[in-house]
Amino acid sequence: MQDPADSESLLASDEPPAVDWRAGSIDPFFFVCEHASNRVPRALGDLGLPSEAFERHIAWDPGAAQLTLGLAERFGGAAVLQRYSRLVIDCNREPELPDAITPLSEDTPIPGNQGLGEDERRGRIAAIWAPFHAAVDRLLNARVAARKPTALVTIHSFTPVYRGVSRPWHVGIISTGDRRFAEPMLAALSREAGLVVGDDQPYSARDNVDYTIRRHGRERGLPHVMIEVRNDLLRTARDVSQWVERLGDALTESAGAVGLPGPIRV
């Protein structure tokens, strides 16, 4: 159950690296999915959990990877996806926060995350968290240096019921203090009859969920938005395809609203 203190011993040579990325060839969208996978490094075993726990939202965002890749394919945009579970370390948190390696997720204790020493935490940061954000930094810095128009879009999914409370939203738009891209996204999605759209729902920056868009978007001055889709609406390939179309149309409209060049559908 212990984390080795270095990335080489945490991830075996035949295990995938922490980051799956593609540079993209068409502007302006840069897609990121921090919770794409429920994989755990072999060195950590099962974190003391039954196998069914890794199908739950506590381990990943079901459907988010497929949605991210579908949007990247629609636009020919760049994409960066995390290959390991948020239970190993949450890449949408500052690594020093207690819930970055959470000992309790929703109502479920995570035995393999309890009582970790500093070396164990550093091992997870070095192997999983740091390479992920380094990849985002590298790709975005190259785009900024080349003066390529860029909008950062992070993709997540959320549970229909959280701690016994039903959530009415079909999709949520999460923002930082810079709402120039969030506002047109909300306007575009809210025009669809019957679609319940959350503004900073079911999460907001107050819940510490804005790390990626804040660090990589707001701090660079880039238009940015975090999109949350309810995960029971992403169960099939057809579901995902419908959301790719819906969100793709809203992203296209929003890019125009903030003065970015119109994306080309490929």
Side-chain angles (χ1 to χ4, degrees):
M1 278 289 184
Q2 287 196 337
D3 269 344
D6 62 276
S7 60
E8 288 77 13
S9 53
L10 180 56
L11 294 181
S13 61
D14 62 341
E15 290 185 285
V19 188
D20 177 16
W21 65 275
R22 51 221 64 197
S25 58
I26 300 175
D27 301 329
F29 297 124
F30 187 101
F31 297 101
V32 174
C33 187
E34 303 99 313
H35 304 145
S37 175
N38 57 3
R39 179 190 296 271
V40 175
R42 285 199 299 272
L44 302 183
D46 57 13
L47 295 174
L49 295 169
S51 59
E52 57 267 24
F54 291 97
E55 298 305 315
R56 295 172 51 201
H57 179 260
I58 64 171
W60 63 330
D61 282 359
Q66 294 89 337
L67 182 55
T68 302
L69 293 172
L71 285 165
E73 181 178 356
R74 168 171 169 163
F75 292 113
V80 179
L81 296 88
Q82 172 56 249
R83 282 192 167 121
Y84 289 89
S85 172
R86 61 163 28 118
L87 292 178
V88 179
I89 187 167
D90 191 329
C91 286
N92 195 29
R93 298 287 192 279
E94 293 93 337
E96 298 81 13
L97 289 177
D99 63 348
I101 305 177
T102 186
L104 178 73
S105 186
E106 298 183 16
D107 58 353
T108 301
I110 315 299
N113 288 352
Q114 295 174 357
L116 296 184
E118 187 57 33
D119 284 349
E120 295 168 310
R121 295 184 69 89
R122 282 202 303 267
R124 298 198 195 186
I125 294 168
I128 307 298
W129 189 96
F132 178 79
H133 287 287
V136 177
D137 276 331
R138 182 175 65 253
L139 292 167
L140 280 178
N141 287 345
R143 293 179 66 86
V144 171
R147 298 187 177 181
K148 291 185 176 182
T150 300
L152 173 64
V153 182
T154 69
I155 303 295
H156 295 254
S157 70
F158 66 95
T159 56
V161 178
Y162 181 73
R163 293 184 173 175
V165 178
S166 294
R167 289 159 149 178
W169 310 283
H170 300 120
V171 60
I173 297 300
I174 317 303
S175 61
T176 64
D178 177 352
R179 289 176 58 88
R180 62 186 146 148
F181 205 80
E183 293 288 357
M185 284 293 294
L186 287 163
L189 291 169
S190 295
R191 286 198 300 272
E192 182 175 337
L195 193 68
V196 182
V197 182
D199 181 357
D200 280 333
Q201 296 286 358
Y203 307 107
S204 74
R206 293 185 298 275
D207 303 304
N208 294 319
V209 301
D210 66 332
Y211 179 76
T212 299
I213 55 174
R214 176 164 38 90
R215 169 178 166 172
H216 297 292
R218 190 180 73 182
E219 291 180 8
R220 283 184 174 85
L222 299 176
H224 55 273
V225 70
M226 175 177 166
I227 300 173
E228 289 267 6
V229 177
R230 209 173 67 201
N231 65 26
D232 61 327
L233 305 177
L234 296 172
R235 287 177 175 162
T236 69
R238 181 178 180 184
D239 293 339
V240 171
S241 178
Q242 290 174 341
W243 278 99
V244 166
E245 293 302 303
R246 175 182 288 119
L247 294 174
D249 290 347
L251 286 166
T252 299
E253 180 178 325
S254 300
V258 298
L260 291 171
I264 300 171
R265 180 171 181 151
V266 298

